[in-house]
Amino acid sequence: MPDLLEPADSGGRSRALTAQEVGPRPIDAPPPHDLAALPPPLLLFDHVSKWYGPVIGVNQVTLELHPGILGLVGANGAGKSTLMRLATGQLRPDLGSVQVHGHDVWHAVAKRHIGYSPDADTFYEEMSGRQFVETIARLYGFPRREARRRTAETLELVGMAGQADRRLRGYSKGMRQRIKVAQALVHDPEVLILDEPLSGIDPVGRQEFLALFRELAARGKCLLVSSHELEELEKLTDHVAVMAQGRIAVVGTLARIRDLLDEHPLSILVASDQTRSLAAALLALPDVTGVDVGERDTLIVKARNPHRFFQAFTGLVLEEHYEIGHLQTLDDSAQAILGYLLGGRR
């Protein structure tokens, strides 16, 4: 893998970050047993709020991020883009503070540690991909020769070395995404803010990006990755922050979040040509909290205590000879967890 760890300023980085991956932690969470083992956060949101006139975009967000990968999920309008713009110093918070490496993110010294790949797809279209990335490197202060070296290595890293001399206006969506990630990486930042980096990428390219992001995390970098592709995000990391109505609804592993939701009804899709009688029988089970009639002879069953419910359901089907054409849980992925949290906070 190309070595991008050489800093632009030999005095600007006192030591390399360790490769230890430390997951994200809300700053009001209980401290770990060994505080000395936990390095200072690379990215810190401390009671941050941001308004757009009478509309609140981010509401009292408190979060710290260490080396590793944190997925950021939420519905449109939940505040994800505002949070990322605050993290990159494009917006000033109205309340609270955002810090990178202990520096206010608005200051130039903090911005040297940040790489940002925006969701917006805007380029200087007459440039080639190589010219664009090299220009970004020059803007970061690298001499021309160093900028060219870093550009070549970064383009190789994102899989664009063979297409780099074509003009940007002729690039596909996936190729443009790769160039956006390349310009975010060219100065070797410790903190990477990636807004929808998997959008428009073909399946092979997605696997390459997932591997790249894991490698960057293993080098000790901190990645905040926003995505609507929740199934792909789940393959990248099991640490997620869920945003709802401008707040961080929950932060943690998917398994831990699911444990917290054990008492929330699980949704199960059941297909049968005996929906009316089956619905009545299901409502009699103690763990069933509701049954809705769906399309094409289907039922949506909401039940607590999944293990106990499925035991009772199996017994019911065998005893009453119901014919079940299809059975599917609708809540096992990050998508379902997101739905639970957003639904519970409306």
Side-chain angles (χ1 to χ4, degrees), residues 42-294:
L42 294 180
L43 176 60
L44 173 65
F45 296 88
D46 188 1
H47 295 88
V48 173
S49 295
K50 176 65 183 178
W51 285 273
Y52 298 101
V55 178
I56 188 163
V58 167
N59 187 5
Q60 286 291 303
V61 168
T62 295
L63 185 69
E64 67 178 41
L65 284 82
H66 295 271
I69 304 173
L70 176 66
L72 182 65
V73 294
N76 289 333
K80 301 190 303 300
S81 293
T82 297
L83 190 72
M84 290 191 153
R85 289 171 186 151
L86 288 164
T88 54
Q90 297 176 75
L91 295 175
R92 286 184 184 266
D94 293 306
L95 290 175
S97 66
V98 183
Q99 295 184 351
V100 174
H101 261 296
H103 303 284
D104 189 292
V105 73
W106 196 259
H107 294 160
V109 66
K111 294 181 187 297
R112 296 191 189 105
H113 299 288
I114 302 170
Y116 177 50
S117 175
D119 184 35
D121 194 9
T122 303
F123 293 93
Y124 293 101
E125 301 287 343
E126 71 279 3
M127 286 185 171
S128 69
R130 187 182 306 277
Q131 288 172 328
F132 182 80
V133 177
E134 185 175 329
T135 299
I136 298 298
R138 294 282 284 148
L139 288 173
Y140 273 109
F142 291 105
R144 187 177 302 278
R145 179 176 295 180
E146 176 67 5
R148 286 177 178 172
R149 181 186 73 82
R150 284 176 169 263
T151 296
E153 292 180 348
T154 308
L155 290 169
E156 182 72 32
L157 200 64
V158 301
M160 281 297 293
Q163 306 287 338
D165 295 312
R166 291 175 52 184
R167 289 194 178 186
L168 283 160
R169 68 163 59 98
Y171 278 3
S172 67
K173 172 68 172 177
M175 294 165 69
R176 295 164 80 91
Q177 287 287 73
R178 290 172 185 265
I179 291 296
K180 283 195 292 186
V181 172
Q183 62 80 32
L185 286 171
V186 72
H187 62 297
D188 187 32
E190 286 91 349
V191 177
L192 283 163
I193 309 297
L194 307 176
D195 196 354
E196 298 286 348
L198 301 175
S199 176
I201 300 287
D202 59 71
V204 174
R206 288 190 182 195
Q207 294 305 310
E208 293 173 352
F209 262 20
L210 295 178
L212 172 61
F213 297 159
R214 293 190 195 102
E215 173 64 21
L216 293 170
R219 291 186 180 189
K221 297 186 184 299
C222 169
L223 285 76
L224 180 62
V225 183
S226 168
S227 180
H228 290 293
E229 300 287 345
L230 298 181
E231 298 299 331
E232 293 296 335
L233 194 60
E234 195 171 3
K235 297 173 186 175
L236 177 63
T237 177
D238 65 348
H239 280 85
V240 295
V242 182
M243 288 203 73
Q245 297 183 346
R247 291 181 178 270
I248 297 292
V250 67
V251 181
T253 66
L254 292 171
R256 175 59 179 154
I257 294 171
R258 191 65 185 89
D259 287 343
L260 294 174
L261 297 168
D262 267 347
E263 289 306 308
H264 192 289
L266 177 73
S267 295
I268 306 104
L269 176 70
V270 182
S272 173
D273 58 3
Q274 301 163 280
T275 52
R276 182 168 297 185
S277 62
L278 179 58
L282 287 169
L283 284 170
L285 297 179
D287 292 310
V288 173
T289 62
V291 177
D292 295 325
V293 178

Side-chain angles (χ1 to χ4, degrees), residues 7-22:
D9 179 359
S10 60
R13 193 175 301 167
S14 60
R15 63 178 178 85
L17 292 170
T18 64
Q20 177 187 10
E21 179 174 337
V22 181

Side-chain angles (χ1 to χ4, degrees), residues 294-306:
E295 299 178 353
R296 298 180 181 178
D297 295 328
T298 61
L299 299 172
I300 306 296
V301 183
K302 296 186 180 297
R304 294 190 182 94
N305 301 303

